[in-house]
Structures are given as C-alpha cells and as structure tokens.
Amino acid sequence: VHILCGVAFLGVLLATALMLRASLQSGDFRMVRQVLRTSFVGDAVLFLMIIAQFVTGALMVRLHHLSFHTPWILVAFHLFGLVGLCWLL
C-alpha cells in the first residue's frame, strides 16, 4: 500500500500538471476551467493518499522496531513534510 500510494501520488501530480500546461497553451479558457475543476477531484484523492502514505510509513517504522530518530527516517519524514507544504501552496 505504501509504495502504491507513492506511485499513484506521483502519477496524479504529473498528469494534472501536464493537463494544465496543455490547456493553458491551447488558450481555451473553458478547457482551463475544466482542468482546474478536475484537479480539485485529484487533490481530494491525493489528500487521502498522503494520509495513507504517512500512516503506512509510521506503521512500518513501528513494525520493524526502528527508531523515528534514525537519520534516514528523519530525512524521509522531513522530505514528506516539505513536499506536503509545496503541495498546499
């Protein structure tokens, strides 16, 4: 589930960015409006994936008896937070 959410997250982000870019280049504002509406649905799905990604990551750390203070786990969670902040902006 953890890897699936990560791959789906990246796919939805890339697809949305490419659709928005194509619609902006076309100059058709009806198309831009439709892409933006669709992206809001994608954002709802992304939000659920982000929560699942965080929860499954934390569960795997606990399951394998690792410390949350392990350097690579700290880096992963900090990067996760940074990407989340970028997504919100």
Side-chain angles (χ1 to χ4, degrees):
V1 171
H2 187 75
I3 294 172
L4 181 63
C5 284
V7 171
F9 177 74
L10 181 62
V12 170
L13 281 178
L14 288 175
T16 301
L18 290 174
M19 285 190 317
L20 186 57
R21 181 177 177 215
S23 67
L24 288 171
Q25 286 179 342
S26 75
D28 183 1
F29 292 106
R30 289 178 297 162
M31 181 188 273
V32 173
R33 186 175 59 218
Q34 183 61 35
V35 168
L36 289 174
R37 284 182 186 160
T38 305
S39 75
F40 287 125
V41 173
D43 285 347
V45 173
L46 284 177
F47 184 70
L48 295 173
M49 282 190 250
I50 288 170
I51 291 171
Q53 189 83 10
F54 180 78
V55 169
T56 57
L59 287 174
M60 285 191 296
V61 169
R62 299 285 294 189
L63 179 69
H64 293 289
H65 305 290
L66 298 171
S67 170
F68 283 99
H69 298 291
T70 304
W72 69 268
I73 293 174
L74 282 173
V75 169
F77 276 108
H78 281 93
L79 287 174
F80 185 81
L82 179 65
V83 169
L85 285 174
C86 290
W87 177 67
L88 288 173
L89 298 175

